[in-house]
């Protein structure tokens, strides 16, 4: 792989598994180790009660921006249409882009009931969520043009609002996609794409529609110096990801996810992601995304030892992927 085509490689920091101070410290370690960016999930609740955390992602990203100099910052992903009004997201993203000197990427998606139901407002069926996401991105784009803006949509309204502090270079908007509806939003209103499977059809669909921006792929890896301990750690905190998006988007609270994953364990983790210290399975998992056309890899360590994983990624894994 040539230097010109080398992928950007970053670290997923799952805020459900980590307190805010630890997230910041790990981001600093990631920058020092040479990773290109960190991606933070943006949830109100953790997925599982065993995870114990869910700090505010935007506050945490601001702290990371203050402690780092060149590390990219990414939300993976924010729902800008229910728990947050898109005007608030437009405001926060513009400010973060300014204080980070242009290092921020706004990753967005249609949301999960786990986080979005908390305001008491209805969380509609999936087709309506995509329509609301489309309106939210229209509002964000309008506000980023400057001046006072209003919008009267089916799901969202904006009245005489202006974001006063706008960066010269706006953050790219990357849309989480897993099928036709979300891909259409990405191609119409996004700059780039997010996905959690090495789906070449998504990539080709985005590119064939004229999309030229970054394509992020999240690669789950239960790395650890001891394979059994890594599998056990992943089984404690990462089995929710094995349920599939149709389930993950619908359950309202950690207790519901606890019940849904009660039958899943270490064998299921081993069947879905590389486990343990051996390099080759992790290389193979990451290369599947590169082969599918992804140009930004998000390494998601589910094996518990994130500090050790940062060293492993910097010294062993990343050199094999570039």
């Amino acid at each position: 792989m040539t230097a010109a085509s080398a992928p950007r490689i970053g670290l997923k920091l799952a805020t459900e598994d980590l307190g805010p101070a630890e997230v910041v410290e790990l981001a600093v370690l990631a920058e020092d180790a040479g990773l290109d960016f960190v991606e933070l999930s943006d949830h109100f609740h953790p997925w599982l009660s065993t995870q114990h955390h869910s700090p505010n992602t935007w506050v945490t990203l601001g702290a990371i921006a203050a402690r780092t100099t060149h590390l990219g910052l990414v939300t993976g992903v924010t729902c800008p249409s229910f728990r947050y009004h898109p005007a608030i997201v437009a405001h926060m993203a513009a400010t973060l882009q300014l204080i980070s000197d242009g290092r921020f990427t706004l990753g967005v998606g249609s949301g999960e009931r786990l986080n979005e139901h908390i305001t008491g407002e209805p969380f509609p069926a999936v087709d309506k969520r995509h329509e609301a996401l489309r309106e939210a991105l229209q509002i964000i784009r309008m506000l980023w043009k400057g001046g006072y803006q209003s919008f009267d949509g089916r799901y969202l309204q904006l009245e005489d609002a202006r974001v006063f502090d706008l960066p010269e270079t706006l953050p790219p908007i990357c849309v989480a996609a897993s099928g036709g509806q979300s891909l259409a939003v990405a191609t119409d209103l996004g700059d780039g794409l997010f996905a959690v499977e090495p789906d070449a059809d998504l990539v080709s669909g985005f590119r064939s529609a004229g999309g030229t921006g970054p394509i992020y792929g999240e690669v789950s890896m239960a790395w650890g110096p001891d394979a059994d301990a890594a599998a056990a750690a992943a089984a404690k905190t990462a089995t929710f990801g094995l349920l599939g998006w149709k389930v993950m988007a619908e359950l309202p609270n950690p207790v519901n996810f606890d019940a849904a994953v009660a039958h899943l364990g270490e064998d299921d983790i081993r069947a879905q992601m590389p486990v343990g210290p051996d390099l080759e399975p992790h290389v193979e998992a990451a290369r599947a995304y590169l082969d599918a056309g992804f140009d930004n890899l998000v390494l998601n360590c589910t094996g518990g030892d994130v500090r050790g994983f940062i060293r492993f990624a910097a010294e062993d894994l990343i050199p094999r992927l570039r």
Side-chain angles (χ1 to χ4, degrees), residues 153-164:
R154 180 178 179 185
Y155 301 97
L156 296 165
Q157 285 74 44
L158 182 74
E159 185 175 340
D160 209 24
R162 176 182 173 184
V163 176
F164 276 80

Side-chain angles (χ1 to χ4, degrees), residues 32-144:
D32 291 343
L35 277 77
D36 294 312
F37 62 89
V38 290
E39 176 197 310
L40 273 61
S41 48
D42 185 4
H43 292 165
F44 191 87
H45 292 144
W47 297 98
L48 301 170
S49 59
T50 52
Q51 292 180 300
H52 302 300
H53 295 286
S54 198
N56 182 277
T57 289
W58 292 88
V59 174
T60 308
L61 283 170
I64 294 171
R67 291 280 306 277
T68 57
T69 60
H70 56 272
L71 187 73
L73 310 173
V74 187
T75 52
V77 293
T78 290
C79 175
S81 41
F82 295 101
R83 174 170 48 114
Y84 299 123
H85 189 279
I88 304 304
V89 174
H91 194 191
M92 294 189 296
T95 298
L96 186 55
Q97 181 76 332
L98 285 166
I99 65 173
S100 68
D101 294 322
R103 292 185 276 142
F104 179 56
T105 295
L106 175 60
V108 298
S110 59
E112 308 94 12
R113 193 177 304 275
L114 174 71
N115 309 295
E116 310 311 325
H117 81 278
I118 63 162
T119 64
E121 295 296 320
F123 188 62
V126 64
D127 58 336
K128 295 180 180 179
R129 291 175 217 167
H130 286 119
E131 292 172 13
L133 176 60
R134 185 178 289 274
E135 290 188 3
L137 296 183
Q138 290 172 335
I139 288 172
I140 292 170
R141 296 288 192 195
M142 288 171 58
L143 287 168
W144 283 356

Side-chain angles (χ1 to χ4, degrees), residues 228-241:
D228 290 339
K236 184 177 180 181
T237 62
T239 47
F240 69 89

Side-chain angles (χ1 to χ4, degrees), residues 99-278:
I99 65 173
S100 68
D101 294 322
R103 292 185 276 142
F104 179 56
T105 295
L106 175 60
V108 298
S110 59
E112 308 94 12
R113 193 177 304 275
L114 174 71
N115 309 295
E116 310 311 325
H117 81 278
I118 63 162
T119 64
E121 295 296 320
F123 188 62
V126 64
D127 58 336
K128 295 180 180 179
R129 291 175 217 167
H130 286 119
E131 292 172 13
L133 176 60
R134 185 178 289 274
E135 290 188 3
L137 296 183
Q138 290 172 335
I139 288 172
I140 292 170
R141 296 288 192 195
M142 288 171 58
L143 287 168
W144 283 356
K145 291 179 180 178
Y148 287 93
Q149 303 288 347
S150 297
F151 182 89
D152 186 16
R154 180 178 179 185
Y155 301 97
L156 296 165
Q157 285 74 44
L158 182 74
E159 185 175 340
D160 209 24
R162 176 182 173 184
V163 176
F164 276 80
D165 290 287
L166 288 172
E168 184 175 334
T169 301
L170 294 167
I173 298 175
C174 295
V175 179
S178 58
Q181 284 185 308
S182 50
L183 181 60
V185 177
T187 56
D188 292 346
L189 291 163
D191 301 303
L193 202 64
F194 266 93
V196 295
E197 294 181 359
D199 189 336
D201 290 338
L202 281 178
V203 175
S204 62
F206 180 72
R207 294 297 189 213
S208 64
T212 60
I215 300 181
Y216 288 80
E218 187 173 309
V219 192
S220 292
M221 300 174 165
W223 179 89
D226 177 86
D228 290 339
K236 184 177 180 181
T237 62
T239 47
F240 69 89
L242 308 183
L243 297 174
W245 202 253
K246 289 185 178 180
V247 176
M248 292 169 64
E250 299 301 338
L251 300 183
N253 284 302
V255 65
N256 305 109
F257 279 93
D258 291 343
V261 304
H263 66 292
L264 299 174
E266 295 178 26
D267 289 343
D268 303 284
I269 291 292
R270 292 176 184 274
Q272 293 295 320
M273 66 187 73
V275 173
D278 293 344

